[in-house]
Amino acid sequence: MTLKGYEFAPVTKFTATGYLTTIPTCLADRPGVVMLRANSLVVQVIAKPGDDCQWSQTERKGYWTLVLPFDSEPTDLDFIRVVVYGDGAIQQPDGTYHKKKGGGFTRSSDTTAGRVIRAKLGVGKSEADCLIGECHLIPWQRVCIPFAGEYPGDRQWNIGAPQYVYQPSCGPHTSWDAIIDHVGEALKMPPELQVIGIRSGGDYLRAWFACILRDPACRLPYLFLFGDENCGKSILWEAFSLLVTGGVVKADRALNSDFNGEIDGAILCVIEEKDVSGMNTLPRIKDAVTGLTLAVRRMHTDVYHVTNYTHWIQTANNSGACRIPIGDTRFVAIHVKALTSEVPKPELLERLKAEGPAIMHTLLNMTLPEPQGRLALPVIATDAKAGIQEENLDPLAHKIVDFMSSRIAWEGSAKELRDAVGGAPGNIAGLKSAVSGFASYLRENRIIVKFPKRQVDRRYIIKLRRVA
């Protein structure tokens, strides 16, 4: 027979989809063909004049046809993968991949994958298209789980996720220590860190990197490093990039653009020599530092959410490149001093690579503190941070502190306060918004501001009080 399908020899009955189907007596001596069509199993046998058969003859002229329900599982081809990504019920298409002859997969298209299927299985174009369609019914999900295996389970494909470059091995790492201790010199450790062996700024930075390598989903303080040109700021993150196969990205665009696809899969995001002190970037930084998930949007795609594995370092020549608000609990600001000696960079990189196994051993085995809040390491206060906060402070905060220095209490309207101190918003909403940005600074200076919930004699009365 020339029909497409599987031929069978003369039989009197067969089992399909759990039903015992009897072949009519008049057809029992004839061969037939069985094929899959959508969710049906189609059986066809050549018809002859005078057949006493209840099967249909409208399906194909000259044949008796029986159509049975058949809900088969999609065919899972081990050399073709349809891949999606993202969360929720509606996921984003990543592409169709086929396995190369030498091993590994390459991204192609449904058309190319169809040709691969035809070449490997010897089927026609329509059968190949059906098989690709079945692959779309059981897609793989692309994920990025740093330092995990390629196949975590549940048809997840952890392709391209960062991995360790070096196997840890005990030994000296003097070049690494020179860089880390120099950058962290200005940090002074609190007693709770000193008791577990984190006694210096260098130890704190080693612990910071150790947290990334051991628990990439943990949240860490945002490191802002500033100092003169060529003082050793950038080599800190460049050195760390030698320890992992990927996941270290330049991410300044992610803070200033509607598109941030580069941070999907990142474990270390670097802002280098860029000014991100604008007010619009601060909420994004806060969310990236402490949020457990990230909203990611690539060009020409919808927003999707991923686990937040990012950790952030910013380097700049001046302290004004980063805005740190009063009362902050996310930023660690470090002023990096000038180098006293310098090693040629190519030579330094070779030393760092040679000491890679040793620093990995230290980072993977050092004692880390138990997290006491949302961050895995505490935020360390520095004179540099206090200075930046002072520079970023609204001048109105200083005016209110000076105004209250000779008073115990004051009350009046927003316009009256504007006339008294100068430069304040003349309406209650504007003043309330401005004061919210430096309320903690006022509290540090023992000044309490109370805003009214209702009018008194058709006026909103604001109360300032200096406490002992």
Side-chain angles (χ1 to χ4, degrees), residues 270-438:
V270 179
I271 312 295
E272 187 167 44
E273 307 303 338
K274 299 289 185 180
D275 189 331
V276 293
S277 60
M279 286 297 294
N280 61 318
T281 63
L282 187 58
R284 294 189 182 189
I285 292 175
K286 288 182 176 181
D287 185 55
V289 170
T290 54
L292 299 180
T293 60
L294 287 175
V296 179
R297 186 184 180 193
R298 299 178 182 272
M299 294 286 286
H300 311 300
T301 69
D302 295 328
V303 174
Y304 60 97
H305 293 81
V306 297
T307 301
N308 184 7
Y309 296 112
T310 67
H311 311 88
W312 295 75
I313 288 181
Q314 180 183 351
T315 65
N317 291 339
N318 65 82
S319 61
C322 180
R323 185 180 187 85
I324 304 179
I326 297 294
D328 165 74
T329 58
R330 292 175 175 88
F331 291 78
V332 173
I334 306 174
H335 177 232
V336 182
K337 297 180 180 179
L339 294 169
T340 57
S341 62
E342 188 174 356
V343 178
K345 193 165 186 177
E347 179 183 341
L348 178 59
L349 292 176
E350 290 304 314
R351 292 185 188 179
L352 294 173
K353 292 176 183 178
E355 297 171 5
I359 190 65
M360 283 293 292
H361 182 272
T362 295
L363 297 179
L364 295 179
N365 289 280
M366 69 181 298
T367 300
L368 297 176
E370 288 294 327
Q372 299 300 311
R374 57 188 176 180
L375 300 178
L377 290 177
V379 170
I380 305 300
T382 64
D383 292 340
K385 179 176 179 176
I388 294 170
Q389 290 174 314
E390 187 76 17
E391 292 172 5
N392 293 335
L393 192 62
D394 189 328
L396 178 59
H398 294 296
K399 293 178 180 180
I400 292 177
V401 170
D402 292 342
F403 176 69
M404 291 299 297
S405 62
S406 59
R407 295 171 174 81
I408 298 298
W410 179 91
E411 62 180 47
S413 67
K415 290 183 179 180
E416 290 170 339
L417 183 62
R418 179 186 63 187
D419 295 338
V421 304
N427 59 81
I428 190 73
L431 182 61
K432 192 172 184 179
S433 175
V435 171
S436 66
F438 53 79

Side-chain angles (χ1 to χ4, degrees), residues 13-52:
K13 60 184 178 180
F14 65 90
T15 302
T17 65
Y19 296 97
L20 185 65
T21 302
T22 301
I23 301 294
T25 304
C26 62
L27 307 181
D29 61 342
R30 303 174 200 172
V33 65
V34 62
M35 68 188 78
L36 288 175
R37 181 182 301 161
N39 292 326
S40 300
L41 187 71
V42 180
V43 183
Q44 292 181 336
V45 179
I46 295 176
K48 293 181 180 181
D51 286 341
D52 181 16

